[in-house]
Amino acid sequence: DGLLEARVLANVTAPLELGRFLERLRDRYRMVVGTEAALAEFGTLPVPYEEFRRNERRLEDRLRVLGLLHRLSDDCAFVHNPYFR
């Protein structure tokens, strides 16, 4: 939890769409979460597609529980830093 919170606090100053946040994690820290990040990093998926998709959903759920992610009615998820308004 502390690592996730630190990554959000260090990288998010305004609400950021989850996909953009995952790109930032890949670019800055080489953390590969989700299928799009895996394809960008490896070119092909080294494990089944569903494993990366499940990993992304787990991260999203954890961020939501920590109060760092909100899913809107149009099915967009945004990561936010509670210290920036």
Side-chain angles (χ1 to χ4, degrees), residues 11 19-21 23 26-27 33 36-37 43 48 51-52 54 56 63 66-68 72 74 76 78 82 84:
N11 292 284
R20 302 282 302 180
F21 178 69
E23 287 176 18
R26 182 180 52 84
D27 293 343
V33 178
E36 291 181 27
E51 294 298 320
F52 280 105
R54 191 174 309 138
E56 184 176 343
L63 289 171
L66 293 171
L68 302 172
L72 302 178
D74 62 354
C76 289
F78 286 89
F84 281 92

Side-chain angles (χ1 to χ4, degrees), residues 22-76:
L22 296 178
E23 287 176 18
R24 190 168 291 173
L25 290 180
R26 182 180 52 84
D27 293 343
R28 290 191 75 184
Y29 306 106
R30 290 300 191 226
M31 292 176 70
V32 177
V33 178
T35 55
E36 291 181 27
L39 286 172
E41 188 69 23
F42 304 119
T44 61
L45 295 178
V47 297
Y49 171 88
E50 188 53 40
E51 294 298 320
F52 280 105
R53 188 72 193 114
R54 191 174 309 138
N55 190 15
E56 184 176 343
R57 283 192 304 266
R58 286 181 183 143
L59 175 65
E60 182 179 338
D61 288 343
R62 196 69 212 144
L63 289 171
R64 184 182 43 75
V65 167
L66 293 171
L68 302 172
L69 180 131
H70 295 290
R71 183 163 284 286
L72 302 178
S73 61
D74 62 354
D75 206 32
C76 289

